[in-house]
Amino acid sequence: AVLVFAGFVTGCHHERETVESATLPTASVRVQTVESSTRRASEDVVGTVRSSRRGRLEAKVSARIERMNATLGQSVKQGDLLVELSAAEIQARYDQAAAVREQAQRDLDRFKTLLAQEAVTRAEYDAAEAQTRVAEASLREAETMLGYTRVQAPFDGVITRKLAEVGDLASPGRPLLEMEDPQTLQLVADVPEAMVDRLKPGATLPVHLATVSQPVDGIVKEVAPSVDPGSRTFQVKLDLTPVPGLRAGQFGRVTVPLGETEELRVPKSAVVTRGQMEMLFVVVDRKARMQLVKTGETSGDTVEIVSGIGAGESVVVEGVGDLLDGQPVTVKP
């Protein structure tokens, strides 16, 4: 009895499918065989453009700011005087040291004459000579301290921040200005540890920036030797070729190559979207069979198929819009 019932059900199902197929009109479609191709896989990593030569200028002595010769955005040359500090006290020390040095030199000259006349001993002359050397050292120290009241540009660059004004008290450890060299720009990016082995010092990679129409060459300069435990990334620095529109502080994307991978691509016209589902039709035994798929990257008129079909299948690329699952089809030449 069970076998008879099963045969009855099977027969009914086959009969219903035959009836449904028979009632659907035959559609004329154009198909394309899905082929596998090889492409170079890559992934973009976001970074920030920074200057590799940056400086925070501060005073080495405590004194009031007397003159501020720098403005934001100003281009300066190495050695340009940017900040002058009040130097009255330090100048007085220098003048005192210069006077002591002058007196010590006169005493030495007098002792040299007396030594030639054997009017003083050699020990007395040596003491006068030592006193002169001490005075010279004190003068050099005072001269160095006086130089600290003049803050100069350490390299050619642009003033990016002013952190003090005239009348403020400058002191060691307190920044007065920040500057950077706009000709030595780098992209600093945090690269995931799974990708860092793809980056070798000296390698050239394309860097994309919103203000620059064409990719900029980035040469890998440094790769951090250890991973950041919080983000699981390595910091990578790439030297950038100077081009118009490239500025420090901009965001950029460096394209990191990941090797070659196999992919399946079909024309965009083959993919049908219904709600949140993506599907296409493959032709099997002169019938259109609906197949759910997952798409990937779109490039031009084609789209990548991540899953759902395999290479060698015949996919409907024209006449998809009104097709139904199981509908008979004729293939256009």
Side-chain angles (χ1 to χ4, degrees):
V2 174
L3 292 176
V4 173
F5 178 75
F8 175 75
V9 172
T10 303
C12 289
H13 174 75
H14 177 72
E15 181 180 356
R16 183 171 65 251
E17 182 179 6
T18 303
V19 172
E20 289 178 354
S21 299
T23 58
L24 292 174
T26 300
S28 179
V29 298
R30 181 169 280 112
V31 300
Q32 179 175 313
T33 302
V34 180
E35 296 181 355
S36 175
S37 60
T38 301
R39 70 176 178 89
R40 298 186 64 86
S42 63
E43 187 170 334
D44 287 348
V45 178
V46 176
T48 304
V49 177
R50 297 177 184 170
S51 174
S52 61
R53 297 185 70 188
R54 294 177 291 168
R56 303 186 72 184
L57 310 185
E58 57 186 52
K60 293 185 178 181
V61 294
S62 294
R64 293 286 175 186
I65 298 176
E66 197 169 78
R67 291 185 182 86
M68 176 68 73
N69 303 323
T71 58
L72 283 177
Q74 176 184 352
S75 296
V76 297
K77 296 292 185 180
Q78 182 177 0
D80 285 354
L81 180 60
L82 303 180
V83 182
E84 294 182 71
L85 305 180
S86 177
E89 182 179 351
I90 299 176
Q91 183 67 52
R93 293 179 186 175
Y94 174 81
D95 293 342
Q96 181 182 6
V100 172
R101 165 67 178 79
E102 184 178 351
Q103 181 60 48
Q105 185 62 50
R106 284 198 299 265
D107 290 343
L108 181 63
D109 293 341
R110 183 167 55 85
F111 270 80
K112 185 181 296 184
T113 301
L114 292 174
L115 181 64
Q117 298 172 356
E118 297 183 353
V120 296
T121 65
R122 184 68 190 185
E124 289 174 317
Y125 174 80
D126 290 343
E129 189 177 39
Q131 188 63 36
T132 302
R133 289 198 297 270
V134 170
E136 289 175 345
S138 297
L139 180 60
R140 287 196 299 270
E141 181 184 10
E143 187 177 13
T144 300
M145 295 297 292
L146 189 61
Y148 289 159
T149 65
R150 298 165 59 84
V151 180
Q152 298 174 308
F155 53 82
D156 295 353
V158 175
I159 303 300
T160 56
R161 291 186 70 189
K162 284 181 64 177
L163 303 171
E165 297 293 344
V166 173
D168 290 347
L169 178 64
S171 57
R174 179 189 175 188
L176 305 176
L177 298 167
E178 291 185 2
M179 61 176 294
E180 62 185 33
D181 183 358
Q183 300 302 314
T184 59
L185 297 179
Q186 294 180 323
L187 183 78
V188 182
D190 294 327
V191 177
E193 58 181 331
M195 301 165 55
V196 74
D197 289 340
R198 302 286 180 176
L199 301 176
K200 302 297 181 183
T204 301
L205 301 176
V207 176
H208 305 268
L209 301 120
T211 58
V212 181
S213 59
Q214 298 295 326
V216 178
D217 286 341
I219 301 175
V220 179
K221 180 70 173 181
E222 298 177 10
V223 178
S226 58
V227 66
D228 182 276
S231 62
R232 310 305 305 174
T233 59
F234 289 81
Q235 187 179 83
V236 177
K237 297 181 180 179
L238 300 95
D239 289 340
L240 300 178
T241 303
V243 295
L246 182 61
R247 297 173 180 265
Q250 293 176 323
F251 285 98
R253 295 178 292 106
V254 56
T255 301
V256 180
L258 301 179
E260 295 184 345
T261 184
E262 296 292 324
E263 67 172 3
L264 301 177
R265 303 193 72 86
V266 299
K268 289 193 293 185
S269 60
V271 180
V272 179
T273 302
R274 294 177 182 173
Q276 296 183 346
M277 294 189 300
E278 295 175 312
M279 62 193 72
L280 46 74
F281 288 89
V282 297
V283 175
V284 179
D285 296 332
R286 291 178 295 183
K287 293 181 181 178
R289 295 299 182 186
M290 183 180 68
Q291 190 71 41
L292 295 178
V293 295
K294 181 180 179 181
T295 62
E297 177 187 4
T298 298
S299 177
D301 295 330
T302 65
V303 61
E304 180 186 8
I305 302 298
V306 178
S307 63
I309 61 170
E313 297 193 61
S314 296
V315 176
V316 178
V317 297
E318 184 180 311
V320 180
D322 298 325
L323 277 181
L324 298 174
D325 186 30
Q327 185 173 358
V329 296
T330 58
V331 178
K332 297 179 180 179

